[in-house]
Amino acid sequence: MGAVREAVTSTYRVQLTPEFGFRELADLIGYLRDLGVGHVYLSPVLQSVPDSQHGYDVVDHAHVRAEFGGREELVALAGQGLGLIADIVPNHMTVPVPESANAALWSVLKDGPESPYADWFDLTWPVDLPVLGDDPELVVDGDVLRYHEHEFPIRAGTEGLPLHELLVAQHYRLVSWRDSPGYRRFFDVSSLIGLRVEDPAVFDATHGVMLSLVADGVIDGLRVDHPDGLADPYGYLRRLRARAPGPVWVEKILMDGERLPPDWDCDGTTGYDALNMVTRLFVDPAARDRLVRAFTRHTGMPDDYDHVKYDGKKQVLDLFFRGEVDRLAAALGEPGLRDALVELLAAMPVYRAYVNPGEEPGEEATRVIQSAAWEAAAHADPAAVAKVAQLVLRGPAEAVTRFQQTCGPVMAKGVEDTALYRWFPLASLNEVGGEPDRFGVSPAEFHAFCTEMRPTTMTTLSTHDTKRSEDVRARLAVLSEIPDIWADAVESWAGAVRFDPKLDYLAWQTLMAAWPISPERFTKYLLKAAREAKTSISWQNREQGYEKGIREFAAKAIELCGYSVAAFTRVVDRYARVNSLGQKVVQLMMPGVPDVYQGNEITDFSLVDPDNRRPVDYARRRELLKSGEDSWDGDKLLVTTTALHLRGRLTPGAPYLPIETGEHAVAFARGDQAVAVATRLPYRLERAGGWRHESLRLPPGSWQDLLTGSEHTGLIPMAHLLSRYPVAILERNTQ
C-alpha cells in the first residue's frame, strides 16, 4: 500500500453488514469503476456488536470488524485500486448486551475510578445504568451479576455480601430503563455511551487503528460522525488532521442559512445542506398556503411550524433529558436557573453554538445564544434567562461544554425525531436539517448558494439517515404543482380508510410516494413515524391497541385504495421522473464532491432506516449498465454514470457559473468545461404549452450533449436541447 491516490472526484456510499463485507464489496469494484465512481465510501469498519447492521455501535477500537473479513480483507479491498473513504465514530461506543462485550466499559464498571479506562467516558460515580424492567430478578453468579441477558462485574471483595448490600457497594447502580443514565450518551440512546476524545490518550487509543490504515494508504479519507457531540469539535479536527492529511468530512447538520464554522480543519460537510437546497429547487413555493391548509384540515395541527418545533423540544427535554439538564443546571453553579436553562435549550435555533471554556466567545456564537435568550425570555424569567446565557458563554468550564453537548441532542430529538413527524404539509421538505415551512427556492437563490460552496464539501441526495430517498422526494415534489388534485385524492382515500388524523395524512403521502410498497414495509414505517411523533404512542410507551390499529389501517389502505393510489402515482411519475433526473444532474454537477448512496444510481423508493439499508439488487444494476433501457431506471443510470465520468475529467474546483433561464429550468457551467441543464416544475411547464420559444445561451465554443451525442453552440431552443431527456449534460469540445 502507500500509493498516492488521485483527488476525490466522487464517492459511492456502501452499507457494510455481516452479510455484505469486504469480499462481497470487492466483487463490485469493476461495476463501480464502470459507473464512474471515484472512491468507495464505507460505513464504520471497526468491531461492533456482531449482528449490527449499521456499525455505529463500536465495542472494540483495536480491531477491524471480523464479520467483514478483518484488516486482511480490508487491505485486499483497497488493493482493487478504487480509493476508500471510511466513516469513523469518535463520539461514542456501545453499551452492549451482555455488557462484558465492551472490555473498556467492563473494566470501568468493575474497578471504578481505578480502571485504566476511567477517563474514557464522561460519567458520574456511581454510574446509573438504566436496564431494570418491572421484574428486577437479579442473580449473583460468582463474580458476575446477571439480569436476564445483561451481566455486570462484581467489585472485588464484595462477592459474599447480601444482595442489597452488594448492589450498594458497586461502582454502578442499576436503575429503571426509563431513567437517564449516569453518563453522557448519543442523543437519548442509553446503549451508546459518550467518549472523551478531548483527552489525547483517549483519542490515541480510539483512533489508532483507523489512523494506521490512513498512514498505510489503505484509507484515503475520513467521514466524522456527529462532531457536535464532542467537547471540542475544533480541537478534535485539528488533532485529527495532523494525523490524517487526506480529505475529512464532518456529519454536521446545518440549518437554513447556517454556515460551517470557518476555523474547522476539514473539507466540508457530508452534504445535508446541499440536499435540502436541491430538494427545494424542485418544489413550487406557490402551493405553500394550499398545502398547509390541506394538512391542517386533515390533522388538526396548527399552521405555525415554529410552535410545533418548540413543543417538540420541550417534550423531549422532559421525557429524555432530565438527567442531562440536572447535571447542566448543577454545573451552572447558581440555584434557581433550571427553568430558564430549559427554555434556552428549547430556543436554540441550531444544533450548536461553538464556545470553548476560557476563550472569548465568537461573534456568531454570541449572536446565536443571545437570539435564543430573547426567545426564551417569553417563557421564563427574563433575568434568569439572561443569567444562564452569560454562564453558558463565559461561565464555569463544565457548564459551557455541557451546554454545547446538550443542544444537539435536544435539536435532533425535538425537531428531527419529533416535530418533523408532526408537521408535514409536504413531506419531501422534512429532511435532516430541513425546514418544512421553507417551500422552495428559486434558481437565483440556488445559484447564490452554490457560488458560496466549498469546492471540497460533499453533496448528496440520499444517505443511510435520510427520512426518505431522493426518488420518494421527487414524487412528493410534484404535489406542490397539483395541490388541489392532491387534496381531492386524499379526501377520496380518507373517505374509505381512516385511523388517526395526526398520522393519516403522512401515511397517504408515504403510500403514494413509495408505491408499490408491501403492507409489512408500510406498517413498519407508520409504527416508527407514530412512535417518533409521540402524539399517541412513543418508543417508551407502546400501546398495543393503537399499534394494532396501525397494522389494520396499513393493510386496509393498500387493499381498498391501492388501485387508486397506483393510478395516481402513474400520473405523478410522468413529472416525478423529470424531478428525479433533474435533481440528480444538479447534485452531481454542482460544486462539491458528489456522493451516491448505494443503489440510488437507479430509482429507489426507500423510506427512513432501516428501510433504506436493505440489500441492493446489484445484479439488476449490472445488467442495466450493460444493456441500457428506455425507462426511468435506465435514464437515471445513464445520467449518473455520465455525470460521474465527467466529474472525473473536470478540473477540481472548476468555477460555478450560473446561466440565465426561465423559471422552468436551472442551468450552470463549471468553468469552461461543462454545462448542466435541468427542467423544473414540469407539470406547470406542460400546462403552459411546453418550452415554446424559450432558448438557452451556451458559453462560447462547441458543446456535446453527452446523453444524446448531439452538438450545440450559441443560442439553443430549449425544446430542441431537451427533446430526448428533460436534462442535459454538456462537455466542451476541445478539438
Side-chain angles (χ1 to χ4, degrees), residues 56 87-92 184-188 192 194-195 197 223-233 236-237 249-253 264 270 272 351-352 354 404-413 416 464-465:
Y56 290 96
D87 195 341
I88 60 173
V89 192
N91 177 66
H92 57 265
R184 182 175 60 83
R185 54 187 167 167
F186 173 73
F187 296 163
D188 64 332
L192 296 174
L195 288 167
V197 293
R223 177 262 198 195
V224 178
D225 182 67
H226 188 46
D228 278 347
L230 305 178
D232 178 15
Y236 170 82
L237 290 170
W249 293 279
V250 291
E251 188 215 17
K252 165 61 186 168
I253 309 305
W264 279 21
T270 52
Y272 285 108
Y351 277 69
R352 180 166 175 160
Y354 298 94
Q404 296 295 315
Q405 290 178 295
T406 306
C407 289
V410 173
M411 178 70 81
K413 299 307 297 182
E416 198 178 307
H464 60 289
D465 277 336

Side-chain angles (χ1 to χ4, degrees), residues 256-269:
D256 193 25
E258 186 185 4
R259 294 291 179 262
L260 193 66
D263 58 355
W264 279 21
D265 197 353
C266 66
D267 291 84
T269 75

Side-chain angles (χ1 to χ4, degrees), residues 63-64 75 112 285 352 427 542 713:
H63 294 92
V64 175
V75 171
R352 180 166 175 160
R542 304 184 188 183
T713 186

Side-chain angles (χ1 to χ4, degrees), residues 677-695:
V677 185
T679 302
R680 298 177 64 241
L681 312 181
Y683 177 83
R684 284 212 291 115
L685 174 65
E686 182 181 79
R687 298 276 290 188
W691 294 111
R692 306 181 73 178
H693 304 299
E694 187 170 338
S695 298

Side-chain angles (χ1 to χ4, degrees), residues 544-571:
Q544 290 186 353
Y546 185 90
E547 296 194 355
K548 179 182 178 184
I550 287 180
R551 293 184 175 90
E552 292 174 349
F553 170 82
K556 287 182 179 178
I558 291 176
E559 177 187 357
L560 300 180
C561 303
Y563 179 83
S564 176
V565 170
F568 187 93
T569 305
R570 279 195 297 273
V571 176

Side-chain angles (χ1 to χ4, degrees), residues 365-380:
T366 301
R367 184 196 66 77
V368 166
I369 290 177
Q370 288 180 344
S371 172
W374 177 266
E375 295 289 335
H379 303 281

Side-chain angles (χ1 to χ4, degrees), residues 432-460:
V432 180
E435 299 280 5
D437 58 346
R438 175 87 186 275
F439 281 73
V441 297
S442 67
E445 290 174 295
F446 182 76
H447 291 320
F449 173 83
C450 288
T451 55
E452 296 181 2
M453 288 181 66
R454 295 188 188 192
T456 55
T457 197
M458 195 175 278
T459 70
T460 191

Side-chain angles (χ1 to χ4, degrees), residues 603-621:
T603 58
D604 177 86
F605 299 101
S606 295
L607 302 171
V608 70
D609 69 279
D611 194 66
N612 58 12
R613 299 175 185 177
R614 292 170 296 151
V616 176
D617 183 358
Y618 281 110
R620 156 80 170 149
R621 287 157 177 79

